[in-house]
Amino acid sequence: MKVLCTKYINGDVSAGNVLSHVKNLGLKYEEYIISNSFDITDCFTEGNETGELLLDFITDQEYFHRSLTQSSEQPS
């Protein structure tokens, strides 16, 4: 029996990884490309709760904004 899903995910999983496994298992699939975009302006507004939460989500790190310093926030 071919098993695609398991209880655990080891490491980072991308769409490319999933597609590779599906192909290797010889499974039928349909692929849909869905375009999307995010307005990240709030991430650069100091004290903006929405921006802070979005940064937490994007970086997968709670209170990410607290780890930023003025030098890391300035463009090179």
Side-chain angles (χ1 to χ4, degrees), residues 37-56:
S37 62
F38 291 101
D39 180 354
I40 60 170
T41 305
D42 290 342
C43 294
F44 302 99
T45 305
E46 188 174 342
N48 185 295
E49 183 180 9
T50 301
E52 292 171 358
L53 293 171
L54 185 56
L55 276 175
D56 292 351

Side-chain angles (χ1 to χ4, degrees), residues 1-67:
M1 180 169 145
K2 295 181 181 181
V3 177
L4 179 62
C5 298
T6 63
K7 292 183 179 182
Y8 305 101
I9 296 175
N10 297 324
D12 293 329
V13 178
S14 69
N17 298 125
V18 172
L19 188 56
S20 176
H21 288 293
V22 168
K23 286 180 178 179
N24 288 339
L25 292 170
L27 300 173
K28 293 182 183 180
Y29 66 93
E30 293 182 28
E31 185 174 6
Y32 299 92
I33 297 174
I34 302 170
S35 62
N36 61 48
S37 62
F38 291 101
D39 180 354
I40 60 170
T41 305
D42 290 342
C43 294
F44 302 99
T45 305
E46 188 174 342
N48 185 295
E49 183 180 9
T50 301
E52 292 171 358
L53 293 171
L54 185 56
L55 276 175
D56 292 351
F57 175 76
I58 291 170
T59 61
D60 192 28
Q61 181 177 339
E62 194 171 9
Y63 304 111
F64 178 78
H65 68 281
R66 293 181 184 173
S67 68

